[in-house]
Amino acid sequence: MMALIDSNNFYVSAERVFQPELRDKAGCVLSNNDGCAISRSNEAKEQLGIRMGTPFFMMREQHTSGKLWWRSSNYTLYQDMMRRITQIVRDTFPDQEIYSIDECFCDLATFKHHDLEQVAIDLRRKILQYTGVPVCIGIGATKTLAKIANKLAKKQHKTTGVYYMGTAAQIEQGLKDTEVDDVWGIGPRYGIKLIKAGVYTAYDFVNLPEDYVLKLMTIQGRRTYRELKGLRCIPMEFERPLKEGISTARSFNCMITERAPLEEALACYVANASQKLRAQKSVCARFMVYAQTSQFVVEKDRYTNDIVVKLSQPTSDTGTLITEALKALRRIYVKGYRYQKVGVELRDLRPQSQVQSDLFGKVTVEKQDKLQLAMAAVDHINKVQGRNTIVHGAMGFEKKWSMRQEFLSRRYTTRIEDVIVVKAI
DNA sequence: TCTGGGGTCCTAGGACCC
DNA sequence: TCTGGGGTCCTAGGACCC
């Protein structure tokens, strides 16, 4: 069997741990830039009908009238709370895959002779006691069935917070109680297709002929289908695989028309992405830069463009990447538009150790080695002394465009940036 | 006025190779 | 009627996840 441990309304729950005044009241955590709701308390869902992605301005009245609290997203806090939760889980279920910021899968193969339901109930209680975050645990034969069991735990088994989907009868009932577009792997598009074809529940779905599923939804759909029948098709990933691409982009807090601030922002994102690149000891051979206006403006004011740059020598050096990225941006920048976002995507990642010197390139292996040492030193200083202690000049200092985070809570559990105030020289 | 960001995987079609 | 066959690489777009 497999277990899925998933926090309830995770960001909201993490905020409530350190701000008890937020408990039992309708509230939500906002996306980057405070743009829309991305985590909602049960009260916000049930009493105020706030949905995932509800824009900020549509909730303003509920906020000003005191019916709803909100916070900017505070990933430093959430990441650290999750680290604590997964540690507790590991003491009980050691074979663990951290799947997302608020979920982990566990392989229970070594727990054959235990009362799994009771073990899970105890674990859940322990997590709540030690961290203050409520979680639900679903147990099933495959990842997809564990996901379904988890949703049912949240809906139907609120008191224990655990649902064990073991017997054939439990599985059948579980599938019948699950709407087809609530199945992990079936999104809104396929959901619509299936409902049109008269397939309403997960149970209807597993009773389709396999060929039909393959034709309608390609091999991914077939994988979900087989998983629901109890065949393990999605393996556990105990080690986090290296990223195949790294992208960084943010919406601005206001629209930007001038080229200079766009370049500053892009330089910051490139620095951020290349730091992640070095963290996994990779280099990139190509990247894409894009710029766009808001998608909500009228057609004639809309503009989006991108450009792919192939590097003569794969690198993870921030300076080189910023220089090339800015050149690219100058080629797609058109004066007169009100830009909402620029971004960069590093692609064609490969291990640093594999890099071969470009036969005709100017950069020698020696110079490359020196650069790597320098960047490693910068990364270390920024880690110890706080982010952005050492920056490239191109990243600018004022950052008038930077993200809106008006309702940010403190980083209660981690130190750096809260303790040390760093000034750019 | 105001609508997130970071990923992965698959497929189709075009260009090009011998 | 019937216009090779096998392959790679690239891009764009679609779908999904949190």
Side-chain angles (χ1 to χ4, degrees), chain A residues 106-152:
Chain A
C106 297
D107 193 324
L108 310 183
T110 52
F111 279 76
K112 273 192 186 124
H113 307 294
H114 293 69
D115 177 354
L116 282 178
E117 190 167 359
Q118 192 54 49
V119 174
I121 290 172
D122 293 343
L123 173 61
R124 179 182 182 273
R125 204 176 294 142
K126 193 169 157 190
I127 294 170
L128 185 61
Q129 185 192 343
Y130 286 14
T131 68
V133 176
V135 303
C136 280
I137 303 181
I139 300 172
T142 63
K143 282 185 170 178
T144 309
L145 287 170
K147 273 272 189 186
I148 285 186
N150 189 290
K151 284 216 173 183
L152 293 173

Side-chain angles (χ1 to χ4, degrees), chain A residues 2 9 16 31 70 82 122 129 133 219 225 260 292 309:
Chain A
M2 292 195 168
N9 315 330
R16 282 174 164 176
S31 63
W70 54 34
M82 184 52 178
D122 293 343
Q129 185 192 343
V133 176
I219 59 172
Y225 175 85
Q292 55 186 239
V309 177

